[in-house]
Amino acid sequence: MPKVTFIKDGKETTVEFEKGKLPYEHHGLPESFLDVAMNLGIPLEHACGGSCACTTCHLYVVKGEENLSEPEDKELDRLDTAWDLRTNSRLGCQAVIKGDVVVEFPMYTRNYVQEGGAIQLGKSDQPDEAKKPAEVRP
């Protein structure tokens, strides 16, 4: 059973799945990072629905790159538009998992659908208490 570790803001979440047993909901390619994340409750943004039309599911492969499918031209072309592209960048909707792998969420993503092209920060430097919404008074 492949083991996938997602790292976001320094916090690790590890999940396992049995090959061929996940229900396919058309979230990217079957058994891609996005498909696994959606099936196992890991929030991985995907503005285009996993159709390789954006870069909101952009991830950095920390370990286990050899346990992923080879990137196809359409993924490489789309990655060229990703914020902070690196040699270990992959799109979560296109990279199919074949074995144990560790990935990290980038600090920034661009989501033209939800933010109108604005930059979304992946990590805040505010303490958790400061993130709470302000109390509304009449």
Side-chain angles (χ1 to χ4, degrees):
M1 288 196 339
K3 188 184 300 184
V4 183
T5 300
F6 294 91
I7 304 170
K8 186 171 188 177
D9 292 342
K11 296 176 186 165
E12 294 185 6
T13 303
T14 301
V15 295
E16 292 182 309
F17 70 96
E18 193 171 343
K19 301 248 345 125
K21 300 289 183 179
L22 287 177
Y24 181 54
E25 301 286 334
H26 301 282
H27 295 120
L29 297 176
E31 297 185 353
S32 64
F33 287 110
L34 181 58
D35 186 40
V36 170
M38 297 306 298
N39 271 291
L40 300 176
I42 305 294
L44 176 56
E45 195 166 347
H46 54 289
C48 72
S51 62
C52 196
C54 73
T55 62
T56 56
C57 65
H58 176 210
L59 296 166
Y60 300 128
V61 180
V62 176
K63 206 183 299 183
E65 190 170 351
E66 68 279 1
N67 293 327
L68 297 173
S69 61
E70 289 292 321
E72 294 185 11
D73 287 342
K74 68 178 181 177
E75 178 185 0
L76 295 173
D77 289 344
R78 183 61 53 210
L79 274 170
D80 281 342
T81 68
W83 189 273
D84 196 18
L85 181 65
R86 299 180 186 174
T87 57
N88 62 339
S89 290
R90 292 297 304 266
L91 291 181
C93 66
Q94 299 299 299
V96 176
I97 302 162
K98 299 177 178 184
D100 294 356
V101 65
V102 177
V103 291
E104 184 174 14
F105 286 72
M107 185 174 289
Y108 306 100
T109 63
R110 271 190 197 259
N111 183 342
Y112 290 98
V113 175
Q114 292 182 351
E115 292 112 23
I119 296 170
Q120 176 181 341
L121 295 176
K123 184 176 180 180
S124 173
D125 53 5
Q126 295 179 347
D128 288 339
E129 292 79 43
K131 293 180 190 176
K132 293 180 184 172
E135 192 175 312
V136 178
R137 295 180 187 206

